[in-house]
Amino acid sequence: MGLVCGHVISITLSVSPDYILSGNALALNCSLERNATEPSVTFYKDATLIGYIQNCRQNGFTSCSSTTKCQCDLISNTYTWNYTPSNENENDATFNCTISTAESNRITVKKAELSDVTISPAAPVINATENTTVENIRCTALCWPECSFIWTGPSGFISYGDILRLSNIQRSNSGLYRCQATNVVGTNYSNFIDIKVQHSPDKISLFPSITNYTMIEGRSINVTCSAVCEPACDFEWTYPSYTKHNINILQIESLQGTDNGTYTCRAYNILGYKESAIMVTINFAPKAIFLSPSNSNYTKKEGDTLGSIVCSADCNPACSFTWTYPDGTKQYNESLIRYSLEKNHDGIYTCKGFNDVGYQEKKITVSINYSPDKISLFPSITNYTKSEGDSISVECSAVCEPSCDFEWTFPNYTKHNIKILQIESLQGTDNGTYTCRAYNKIGYKESAIMVTINYGPKAIVLSPSDFNYTKKEGDTLGNIVCSSECNPACSFTWAYPDGTKHYNASLHRYQLQKNHEGIYTCKAFNIVGFKEESITVTINYDPGNSIFFSPSNTNYVMMEGDTLGDITCSANCKPSCTFEWTYPNGTKYLDSTLGIGRLNRTHAGVYKCKGYNHIGSSEKTITVAVNYPPESIRLSPTNTPFIVREFTTVRVTCEADCIPTCTYQWTGQNTWTSVNRHLTLTSIRRTATGSYICRARNIINSYRYAETSVSIIVHSEYIVHLSCMKKSVPDSFQIISNFHILVIVVIW
């Protein structure tokens, strides 16, 4: 690049526009104070190279002749670089440019911005009195570049500038105002403020707009009072009675005569008020008829005079009057007078007061006094036969003046001030004569009817009054009499527990048996109905011979080690029996069940069950036999060996414990045998010396036996030596008990 030597070039940078806005190009104008030969111009943002221009034809990206990024004005020696910030570069930035070693000034460009718009004072509502000034409402926003401000309001109101001022304000200026701030960023709006111009009502509007009403009583009126005012008006209606009502609508659903008069509406606020009135005229029929004298009942005798009775009423317009006699005759006058009253003058006299709107009537009753001449009954029957529960209604009437009072006298002499004898549900106690009396202060008449009531038994009465009888077998059930109140008289039956019937009012039973127990029912009946009452007879008895076992077996033969199942003892007895088992050893157990379980020989014997209650007791037994084979043998005498002298007698008894009884066999010397439990050797010789075996067995198992042996030594003088030997037995037998046999060797 060629520069003028010896002279420093002065460079100036300018930036347009003076704010940064995304997508909005900035023109960076780098100007030289004089022309330079082929200068190379560089542009920087925040000290970062963003572009350069060389020979005004080519830059770092493209040639100036084909892009808007750069421009060269060789006449003014100005070199321009166009820089467009993106969204991410929307911040303040500092720019400069350089030519060779010369550097321009640095220019900082601020980011464009527009904040929210605020109003001061910030009150949402501002009240102002008409014809005054509202001023100094300021609109504020943070803007770069600077904002323009516009105020808008009702009816197309516009004011330029950030301060709103309304002088000589009128009610038409009431409404919503807001401020808008605008710059290159856009436009923002403030919140609305409501300016209310306050004024008193200038007039009152009535709807309907009628001010005079003529109404008929009973009609309705509805008038709405309204006014334009700020703040909003309150309303008050003042009635003709001077009562005040804080409402804007006068509404009366049903007008009365007392509602005549002026009704005034007042609309008011803090600044003033206005009033408007309507006139209401009510036409009404007579409210009531007034009599003078005020009596409504006159009691006279025939020939008396009915004095002057004057009729009047409050009406609008004024009323006319007529009197109507009991026979329909009319008198067009407000005064009534009658001379020399007769019986047919008795009745109701009516005064009628009327006008165009309506009428009212007032009646008086004129009574001509006389006593009843007869009594009429309806129905005209004088004798009634009824069933209990039926109803009866008889009306008693009579012609008399003053009107008769009526009194019915019942059979029990109670008196009832009624005209109609009416009994809805007749009872047996209602039998008898009923007398009606019609009477007034002049006199009376009477008439009677006879009422006969047929009814079934009311209740059954027992004598004695017990309902439960507890007896023992063989006792007598005493005389129990059944009675009842009935019309016609009742018949009676007693129903026994077995269904047998006894046609008598009395119940009597001798020699009570078990099957006599149960419910005995007395029935009382006639043609109308029946009633029943029952007694319960309980027969107590001891068990007698009713004891039985379950199972029913009474003899048990069982092996030792077998199990005897539970045996339950029961009996027919009342009250229920208690049971007691007595074991063979005398032990007693209070239980109906005998439970032994696994048997051993000690359980053998007789077991007795005793059933008993407070009436008596009974017993029944079972026998339990426990069979077992012999297990050991006892000898009597017990000494062994037996040393005896020759020619003497030897007696040895063999006995074994076994059930059933064992059989015994003795065997001895020289194949000697004896089927007997007793070994008897008489006139014994020395040759009888030896061993003798006793075997015991029973039918439980013929191959099971017990045996024992005894040694017998027969000698003349001395016993020299004793030795033991074991007795051998045949292989075909089972040895239950083995004993050592003592062998005596005699040396002569």
Side-chain angles (χ1 to χ4, degrees), residues 477-516:
L477 183 62
N479 193 39
I480 301 172
V481 179
C482 184
S483 62
S484 182
E485 180 188 352
C486 338
N487 190 30
C490 280
S491 299
F492 297 89
T493 63
W494 279 96
Y496 289 7
D498 61 2
T500 305
K501 286 187 168 43
H502 176 61
Y503 294 91
N504 197 297
S506 297
L507 172 65
H508 197 93
R509 297 210 79 169
Y510 300 95
Q511 290 293 314
L512 290 168
Q513 304 298 317
K514 292 177 188 175
N515 60 357
H516 294 161

mmCIF file of all heavy atoms in Angstrom, residues 477-516:
data_model
loop_
_atom_site.group_PDB
_atom_site.id
_atom_site.type_symbol
_atom_site.label_atom_id
_atom_site.label_comp_id
_atom_site.label_asym_id
_atom_site.label_seq_id
_atom_site.Cartn_x
_atom_site.Cartn_y
_atom_site.Cartn_z
ATOM 1 N N LEU A 477 -105.387 -83.419 88.658
ATOM 2 C CA LEU A 477 -105.470 -82.046 88.169
ATOM 3 C C LEU A 477 -106.810 -81.497 88.633
ATOM 4 O O LEU A 477 -107.859 -81.917 88.151
ATOM 5 C CB LEU A 477 -105.349 -81.997 86.639
ATOM 6 C CG LEU A 477 -105.360 -80.597 86.013
ATOM 7 C CD1 LEU A 477 -104.170 -79.783 86.504
ATOM 8 C CD2 LEU A 477 -105.346 -80.703 84.492
ATOM 9 N N GLY A 478 -106.757 -80.530 89.559
ATOM 10 C CA GLY A 478 -107.963 -80.030 90.212
ATOM 11 C C GLY A 478 -108.925 -79.358 89.256
ATOM 12 O O GLY A 478 -108.612 -79.117 88.092
ATOM 13 N N ASN A 479 -110.087 -79.004 89.726
ATOM 14 C CA ASN A 479 -111.151 -78.413 88.909
ATOM 15 C C ASN A 479 -110.730 -77.018 88.428
ATOM 16 O O ASN A 479 -110.477 -76.122 89.211
ATOM 17 C CB ASN A 479 -112.431 -78.319 89.749
ATOM 18 C CG ASN A 479 -113.638 -78.017 88.896
ATOM 19 O OD1 ASN A 479 -113.744 -78.536 87.797
ATOM 20 N ND2 ASN A 479 -114.525 -77.190 89.385
ATOM 21 N N ILE A 480 -110.629 -76.856 87.078
ATOM 22 C CA ILE A 480 -110.261 -75.571 86.470
ATOM 23 C C ILE A 480 -111.458 -75.110 85.651
ATOM 24 O O ILE A 480 -111.877 -75.791 84.711
ATOM 25 C CB ILE A 480 -109.024 -75.716 85.584
ATOM 26 C CG1 ILE A 480 -107.841 -76.246 86.409
ATOM 27 C CG2 ILE A 480 -108.657 -74.376 84.946
ATOM 28 C CD1 ILE A 480 -106.636 -76.606 85.589
ATOM 29 N N VAL A 481 -112.026 -73.957 86.035
ATOM 30 C CA VAL A 481 -113.271 -73.473 85.421
ATOM 31 C C VAL A 481 -112.936 -72.354 84.436
ATOM 32 O O VAL A 481 -112.204 -71.421 84.744
ATOM 33 C CB VAL A 481 -114.266 -72.980 86.487
ATOM 34 C CG1 VAL A 481 -115.543 -72.454 85.834
ATOM 35 C CG2 VAL A 481 -114.590 -74.104 87.462
ATOM 36 N N CYS A 482 -113.527 -72.461 83.243
ATOM 37 C CA CYS A 482 -113.333 -71.506 82.152
ATOM 38 C C CYS A 482 -114.610 -70.680 82.009
ATOM 39 O O CYS A 482 -115.716 -71.232 81.968
ATOM 40 C CB CYS A 482 -113.054 -72.317 80.883
ATOM 41 S SG CYS A 482 -112.689 -71.336 79.456
ATOM 42 N N SER A 483 -114.485 -69.348 81.968
ATOM 43 C CA SER A 483 -115.663 -68.485 81.824
ATOM 44 C C SER A 483 -115.320 -67.309 80.926
ATOM 45 O O SER A 483 -114.150 -66.998 80.705
ATOM 46 C CB SER A 483 -116.143 -67.989 83.191
ATOM 47 O OG SER A 483 -115.139 -67.210 83.818
ATOM 48 N N SER A 484 -116.372 -66.659 80.368
ATOM 49 C CA SER A 484 -116.159 -65.507 79.501
ATOM 50 C C SER A 484 -117.440 -64.698 79.412
ATOM 51 O O SER A 484 -118.550 -65.229 79.545
ATOM 52 C CB SER A 484 -115.724 -65.964 78.108
ATOM 53 O OG SER A 484 -115.468 -64.846 77.295
ATOM 54 N N GLU A 485 -117.253 -63.392 79.152
ATOM 55 C CA GLU A 485 -118.398 -62.504 78.951
ATOM 56 C C GLU A 485 -118.756 -62.516 77.466
ATOM 57 O O GLU A 485 -117.936 -62.164 76.617
ATOM 58 C CB GLU A 485 -118.032 -61.085 79.396
ATOM 59 C CG GLU A 485 -119.166 -60.096 79.210
ATOM 60 C CD GLU A 485 -118.758 -58.657 79.452
ATOM 61 O OE1 GLU A 485 -117.622 -58.434 79.921
ATOM 62 O OE2 GLU A 485 -119.581 -57.774 79.167
ATOM 63 N N CYS A 486 -119.984 -62.918 77.102
ATOM 64 C CA CYS A 486 -120.427 -63.010 75.714
ATOM 65 C C CYS A 486 -121.921 -62.676 75.636
ATOM 66 O O CYS A 486 -122.658 -62.808 76.612
ATOM 67 C CB CYS A 486 -120.243 -64.421 75.128
ATOM 68 S SG CYS A 486 -119.030 -65.475 75.939
ATOM 69 N N ASN A 487 -122.343 -62.296 74.438
ATOM 70 C CA ASN A 487 -123.779 -62.093 74.202
ATOM 71 C C ASN A 487 -124.069 -62.486 72.752
ATOM 72 O O ASN A 487 -123.552 -61.855 71.829
ATOM 73 C CB ASN A 487 -124.179 -60.634 74.433
ATOM 74 C CG ASN A 487 -125.692 -60.455 74.439
ATOM 75 O OD1 ASN A 487 -126.406 -61.370 74.810
ATOM 76 N ND2 ASN A 487 -126.158 -59.292 74.039
ATOM 77 N N PRO A 488 -124.877 -63.539 72.522
ATOM 78 C CA PRO A 488 -125.522 -64.408 73.515
ATOM 79 C C PRO A 488 -124.494 -65.237 74.277
ATOM 80 O O PRO A 488 -123.332 -65.264 73.886
ATOM 81 C CB PRO A 488 -126.440 -65.280 72.662
ATOM 82 C CG PRO A 488 -125.802 -65.293 71.316
ATOM 83 C CD PRO A 488 -125.192 -63.953 71.129
ATOM 84 N N ALA A 489 -124.983 -65.944 75.336
ATOM 85 C CA ALA A 489 -124.084 -66.676 76.229
ATOM 86 C C ALA A 489 -123.246 -67.685 75.448
ATOM 87 O O ALA A 489 -123.689 -68.258 74.453
ATOM 88 C CB ALA A 489 -124.881 -67.378 77.326
ATOM 89 N N CYS A 490 -121.994 -67.890 75.897
ATOM 90 C CA CYS A 490 -121.054 -68.777 75.222
ATOM 91 C C CYS A 490 -121.232 -70.227 75.644
ATOM 92 O O CYS A 490 -121.710 -70.529 76.752
ATOM 93 C CB CYS A 490 -119.614 -68.351 75.544
ATOM 94 S SG CYS A 490 -119.049 -66.958 74.556
ATOM 95 N N SER A 491 -120.811 -71.137 74.765
ATOM 96 C CA SER A 491 -120.575 -72.540 75.089
ATOM 97 C C SER A 491 -119.067 -72.719 75.244
ATOM 98 O O SER A 491 -118.277 -71.893 74.776
ATOM 99 C CB SER A 491 -121.105 -73.443 73.977
ATOM 100 O OG SER A 491 -122.498 -73.280 73.815
ATOM 101 N N PHE A 492 -118.682 -73.856 75.906
ATOM 102 C CA PHE A 492 -117.266 -74.059 76.210
ATOM 103 C C PHE A 492 -116.843 -75.475 75.856
ATOM 104 O O PHE A 492 -117.632 -76.428 75.990
ATOM 105 C CB PHE A 492 -116.981 -73.803 77.698
ATOM 106 C CG PHE A 492 -117.257 -72.389 78.134
ATOM 107 C CD1 PHE A 492 -118.523 -72.020 78.585
ATOM 108 C CD2 PHE A 492 -116.262 -71.431 78.051
ATOM 109 C CE1 PHE A 492 -118.786 -70.721 78.966
ATOM 110 C CE2 PHE A 492 -116.522 -70.124 78.437
ATOM 111 C CZ PHE A 492 -117.786 -69.767 78.891
ATOM 112 N N THR A 493 -115.626 -75.618 75.392
ATOM 113 C CA THR A 493 -114.997 -76.930 75.225
ATOM 114 C C THR A 493 -113.570 -76.850 75.734
ATOM 115 O O THR A 493 -112.936 -75.793 75.672
ATOM 116 C CB THR A 493 -114.957 -77.379 73.748
ATOM 117 O OG1 THR A 493 -114.167 -76.466 73.009
ATOM 118 C CG2 THR A 493 -116.340 -77.473 73.144
ATOM 119 N N TRP A 494 -113.105 -78.004 76.263
ATOM 120 C CA TRP A 494 -111.687 -78.156 76.609
ATOM 121 C C TRP A 494 -111.069 -79.132 75.614
ATOM 122 O O TRP A 494 -111.583 -80.237 75.424
ATOM 123 C CB TRP A 494 -111.495 -78.699 78.022
ATOM 124 C CG TRP A 494 -111.609 -77.661 79.102
ATOM 125 C CD1 TRP A 494 -112.695 -77.366 79.833
ATOM 126 C CD2 TRP A 494 -110.562 -76.814 79.543
ATOM 127 N NE1 TRP A 494 -112.434 -76.358 80.730
ATOM 128 C CE2 TRP A 494 -111.102 -75.995 80.568
ATOM 129 C CE3 TRP A 494 -109.234 -76.635 79.196
ATOM 130 C CZ2 TRP A 494 -110.357 -75.039 81.233
ATOM 131 C CZ3 TRP A 494 -108.487 -75.689 79.866
ATOM 132 C CH2 TRP A 494 -109.050 -74.896 80.872
ATOM 133 N N ALA A 495 -109.995 -78.736 74.946
ATOM 134 C CA ALA A 495 -109.264 -79.619 74.036
ATOM 135 C C ALA A 495 -108.039 -80.144 74.767
ATOM 136 O O ALA A 495 -107.220 -79.370 75.249
ATOM 137 C CB ALA A 495 -108.851 -78.870 72.777
ATOM 138 N N TYR A 496 -107.969 -81.534 74.889
ATOM 139 C CA TYR A 496 -106.845 -82.170 75.566
ATOM 140 C C TYR A 496 -105.640 -82.222 74.632
ATOM 141 O O TYR A 496 -105.780 -82.047 73.421
ATOM 142 C CB TYR A 496 -107.230 -83.574 75.999
ATOM 143 C CG TYR A 496 -108.230 -83.626 77.145
ATOM 144 C CD1 TYR A 496 -108.834 -82.466 77.636
ATOM 145 C CD2 TYR A 496 -108.579 -84.841 77.732
ATOM 146 C CE1 TYR A 496 -109.747 -82.522 78.670
ATOM 147 C CE2 TYR A 496 -109.497 -84.905 78.768
ATOM 148 C CZ TYR A 496 -110.086 -83.750 79.240
ATOM 149 O OH TYR A 496 -110.986 -83.801 80.248
ATOM 150 N N PRO A 497 -104.457 -82.481 75.167
ATOM 151 C CA PRO A 497 -103.258 -82.541 74.315
ATOM 152 C C PRO A 497 -103.365 -83.564 73.193
ATOM 153 O O PRO A 497 -102.778 -83.389 72.126
ATOM 154 C CB PRO A 497 -102.135 -82.898 75.293
ATOM 155 C CG PRO A 497 -102.610 -82.393 76.624
ATOM 156 C CD PRO A 497 -104.096 -82.590 76.611
ATOM 157 N N ASP A 498 -104.115 -84.671 73.407
ATOM 158 C CA ASP A 498 -104.235 -85.700 72.367
ATOM 159 C C ASP A 498 -105.344 -85.390 71.381
ATOM 160 O O ASP A 498 -105.658 -86.196 70.504
ATOM 161 C CB ASP A 498 -104.465 -87.070 73.000
ATOM 162 C CG ASP A 498 -105.755 -87.117 73.835
ATOM 163 O OD1 ASP A 498 -106.477 -86.093 73.888
ATOM 164 O OD2 ASP A 498 -106.036 -88.178 74.424
ATOM 165 N N GLY A 499 -105.969 -84.184 71.471
ATOM 166 C CA GLY A 499 -107.012 -83.789 70.547
ATOM 167 C C GLY A 499 -108.417 -84.106 71.025
ATOM 168 O O GLY A 499 -109.405 -83.649 70.433
ATOM 169 N N THR A 500 -108.531 -84.880 72.096
ATOM 170 C CA THR A 500 -109.856 -85.183 72.652
ATOM 171 C C THR A 500 -110.501 -83.896 73.139
ATOM 172 O O THR A 500 -109.826 -83.015 73.677
ATOM 173 C CB THR A 500 -109.718 -86.168 73.826
ATOM 174 O OG1 THR A 500 -109.008 -87.314 73.367
ATOM 175 C CG2 THR A 500 -111.086 -86.581 74.362
ATOM 176 N N LYS A 501 -111.816 -83.774 72.939
ATOM 177 C CA LYS A 501 -112.550 -82.588 73.366
ATOM 178 C C LYS A 501 -113.494 -82.964 74.511
ATOM 179 O O LYS A 501 -114.128 -84.016 74.511
ATOM 180 C CB LYS A 501 -113.323 -81.982 72.201
ATOM 181 C CG LYS A 501 -112.442 -81.256 71.192
ATOM 182 C CD LYS A 501 -113.262 -80.542 70.157
ATOM 183 C CE LYS A 501 -112.455 -79.574 69.322
ATOM 184 N NZ LYS A 501 -111.179 -80.038 68.888
ATOM 185 N N HIS A 502 -113.602 -82.049 75.441
ATOM 186 C CA HIS A 502 -114.461 -82.225 76.607
ATOM 187 C C HIS A 502 -115.436 -81.042 76.620
ATOM 188 O O HIS A 502 -115.029 -79.894 76.764
ATOM 189 C CB HIS A 502 -113.586 -82.239 77.859
ATOM 190 C CG HIS A 502 -114.359 -82.313 79.148
ATOM 191 N ND1 HIS A 502 -115.179 -83.350 79.469
ATOM 192 C CD2 HIS A 502 -114.404 -81.445 80.196
ATOM 193 C CE1 HIS A 502 -115.720 -83.135 80.664
ATOM 194 N NE2 HIS A 502 -115.269 -81.979 81.117
ATOM 195 N N TYR A 503 -116.706 -81.319 76.418
ATOM 196 C CA TYR A 503 -117.700 -80.255 76.255
ATOM 197 C C TYR A 503 -118.227 -79.822 77.612
ATOM 198 O O TYR A 503 -119.312 -80.190 78.038
ATOM 199 C CB TYR A 503 -118.836 -80.737 75.348
ATOM 200 C CG TYR A 503 -118.362 -80.977 73.933
ATOM 201 C CD1 TYR A 503 -117.889 -82.234 73.538
ATOM 202 C CD2 TYR A 503 -118.351 -79.942 73.014
ATOM 203 C CE1 TYR A 503 -117.425 -82.443 72.252
ATOM 204 C CE2 TYR A 503 -117.889 -80.146 71.719
ATOM 205 C CZ TYR A 503 -117.428 -81.396 71.351
ATOM 206 O OH TYR A 503 -116.969 -81.599 70.072
ATOM 207 N N ASN A 504 -117.435 -79.020 78.271
ATOM 208 C CA ASN A 504 -117.807 -78.535 79.587
ATOM 209 C C ASN A 504 -116.906 -77.347 79.908
ATOM 210 O O ASN A 504 -115.811 -77.236 79.370
ATOM 211 C CB ASN A 504 -117.635 -79.649 80.642
ATOM 212 C CG ASN A 504 -118.389 -79.340 81.922
ATOM 213 O OD1 ASN A 504 -118.099 -78.362 82.593
ATOM 214 N ND2 ASN A 504 -119.356 -80.194 82.269
ATOM 215 N N ALA A 505 -117.392 -76.494 80.778
ATOM 216 C CA ALA A 505 -116.568 -75.349 81.171
ATOM 217 C C ALA A 505 -115.515 -75.730 82.195
ATOM 218 O O ALA A 505 -114.591 -74.963 82.443
ATOM 219 C CB ALA A 505 -117.452 -74.238 81.726
ATOM 220 N N SER A 506 -115.657 -76.918 82.823
ATOM 221 C CA SER A 506 -114.736 -77.337 83.895
ATOM 222 C C SER A 506 -113.816 -78.438 83.394
ATOM 223 O O SER A 506 -114.245 -79.352 82.672
ATOM 224 C CB SER A 506 -115.510 -77.831 85.113
ATOM 225 O OG SER A 506 -116.281 -76.777 85.655
ATOM 226 N N LEU A 507 -112.550 -78.370 83.814
ATOM 227 C CA LEU A 507 -111.557 -79.389 83.492
ATOM 228 C C LEU A 507 -111.145 -80.071 84.787
ATOM 229 O O LEU A 507 -110.769 -79.405 85.763
ATOM 230 C CB LEU A 507 -110.337 -78.730 82.825
ATOM 231 C CG LEU A 507 -109.122 -79.624 82.598
ATOM 232 C CD1 LEU A 507 -109.439 -80.727 81.598
ATOM 233 C CD2 LEU A 507 -107.928 -78.795 82.106
ATOM 234 N N HIS A 508 -111.209 -81.460 84.770
ATOM 235 C CA HIS A 508 -110.806 -82.227 85.955
ATOM 236 C C HIS A 508 -110.226 -83.545 85.467
ATOM 237 O O HIS A 508 -110.857 -84.254 84.675
ATOM 238 C CB HIS A 508 -112.013 -82.476 86.869
ATOM 239 C CG HIS A 508 -111.630 -82.889 88.250
ATOM 240 N ND1 HIS A 508 -111.491 -81.980 89.275
ATOM 241 C CD2 HIS A 508 -111.324 -84.106 88.768
ATOM 242 C CE1 HIS A 508 -111.142 -82.635 90.381
ATOM 243 N NE2 HIS A 508 -111.034 -83.937 90.089
ATOM 244 N N ARG A 509 -109.002 -83.902 85.975
ATOM 245 C CA ARG A 509 -108.385 -85.171 85.569
ATOM 246 C C ARG A 509 -107.811 -85.858 86.801
ATOM 247 O O ARG A 509 -107.126 -85.251 87.620
ATOM 248 C CB ARG A 509 -107.271 -84.950 84.555
ATOM 249 C CG ARG A 509 -107.733 -84.352 83.248
ATOM 250 C CD ARG A 509 -106.888 -84.772 82.082
ATOM 251 N NE ARG A 509 -107.226 -86.105 81.633
ATOM 252 C CZ ARG A 509 -106.788 -86.655 80.486
ATOM 253 N NH1 ARG A 509 -105.972 -85.959 79.707
ATOM 254 N NH2 ARG A 509 -107.128 -87.870 80.128
ATOM 255 N N TYR A 510 -108.104 -87.176 86.878
ATOM 256 C CA TYR A 510 -107.588 -87.992 87.982
ATOM 257 C C TYR A 510 -106.445 -88.869 87.487
ATOM 258 O O TYR A 510 -106.355 -89.199 86.311
ATOM 259 C CB TYR A 510 -108.694 -88.882 88.539
ATOM 260 C CG TYR A 510 -109.882 -88.108 89.067
ATOM 261 C CD1 TYR A 510 -110.985 -87.881 88.248
ATOM 262 C CD2 TYR A 510 -109.887 -87.588 90.357
ATOM 263 C CE1 TYR A 510 -112.080 -87.164 88.708
ATOM 264 C CE2 TYR A 510 -110.980 -86.865 90.828
ATOM 265 C CZ TYR A 510 -112.075 -86.668 90.001
ATOM 266 O OH TYR A 510 -113.158 -85.957 90.449
ATOM 267 N N GLN A 511 -105.615 -89.325 88.448
ATOM 268 C CA GLN A 511 -104.532 -90.258 88.153
ATOM 269 C C GLN A 511 -103.761 -89.845 86.889
ATOM 270 O O GLN A 511 -103.767 -90.508 85.867
ATOM 271 C CB GLN A 511 -105.082 -91.683 87.993
ATOM 272 C CG GLN A 511 -105.584 -92.312 89.272
ATOM 273 C CD GLN A 511 -104.434 -92.566 90.257
ATOM 274 O OE1 GLN A 511 -103.386 -93.083 89.873
ATOM 275 N NE2 GLN A 511 -104.639 -92.220 91.511
ATOM 276 N N LEU A 512 -103.098 -88.690 86.970
ATOM 277 C CA LEU A 512 -102.368 -88.166 85.817
ATOM 278 C C LEU A 512 -101.264 -89.122 85.366
ATOM 279 O O LEU A 512 -100.541 -89.691 86.198
ATOM 280 C CB LEU A 512 -101.755 -86.796 86.152
ATOM 281 C CG LEU A 512 -102.740 -85.645 86.308
ATOM 282 C CD1 LEU A 512 -102.041 -84.436 86.910
ATOM 283 C CD2 LEU A 512 -103.359 -85.298 84.962
ATOM 284 N N GLN A 513 -101.182 -89.300 84.053
ATOM 285 C CA GLN A 513 -100.146 -90.123 83.444
ATOM 286 C C GLN A 513 -99.207 -89.219 82.629
ATOM 287 O O GLN A 513 -99.505 -88.059 82.368
ATOM 288 C CB GLN A 513 -100.787 -91.183 82.527
ATOM 289 C CG GLN A 513 -101.803 -92.066 83.228
ATOM 290 C CD GLN A 513 -101.182 -92.871 84.365
ATOM 291 O OE1 GLN A 513 -100.093 -93.413 84.202
ATOM 292 N NE2 GLN A 513 -101.874 -92.946 85.502
ATOM 293 N N LYS A 514 -98.086 -89.850 82.204
ATOM 294 C CA LYS A 514 -97.127 -89.081 81.416
ATOM 295 C C LYS A 514 -97.771 -88.490 80.173
ATOM 296 O O LYS A 514 -97.522 -87.341 79.807
ATOM 297 C CB LYS A 514 -95.948 -89.964 80.992
ATOM 298 C CG LYS A 514 -95.045 -90.411 82.116
ATOM 299 C CD LYS A 514 -93.966 -91.326 81.578
ATOM 300 C CE LYS A 514 -93.166 -91.939 82.721
ATOM 301 N NZ LYS A 514 -92.184 -92.928 82.242
ATOM 302 N N ASN A 515 -98.599 -89.286 79.509
ATOM 303 C CA ASN A 515 -99.187 -88.815 78.258
ATOM 304 C C ASN A 515 -100.282 -87.777 78.474
ATOM 305 O O ASN A 515 -100.882 -87.308 77.513
ATOM 306 C CB ASN A 515 -99.718 -89.987 77.434
ATOM 307 C CG ASN A 515 -100.803 -90.770 78.179
ATOM 308 O OD1 ASN A 515 -101.112 -90.469 79.330
ATOM 309 N ND2 ASN A 515 -101.367 -91.770 77.528
ATOM 310 N N HIS A 516 -100.566 -87.446 79.739
ATOM 311 C CA HIS A 516 -101.520 -86.359 80.015
ATOM 312 C C HIS A 516 -100.846 -84.988 79.987
ATOM 313 O O HIS A 516 -101.507 -83.966 80.146
ATOM 314 C CB HIS A 516 -102.184 -86.572 81.384
ATOM 315 C CG HIS A 516 -103.060 -87.781 81.432
ATOM 316 N ND1 HIS A 516 -103.455 -88.388 82.598
ATOM 317 C CD2 HIS A 516 -103.605 -88.523 80.430
ATOM 318 C CE1 HIS A 516 -104.215 -89.434 82.333
ATOM 319 N NE2 HIS A 516 -104.311 -89.530 81.008
#
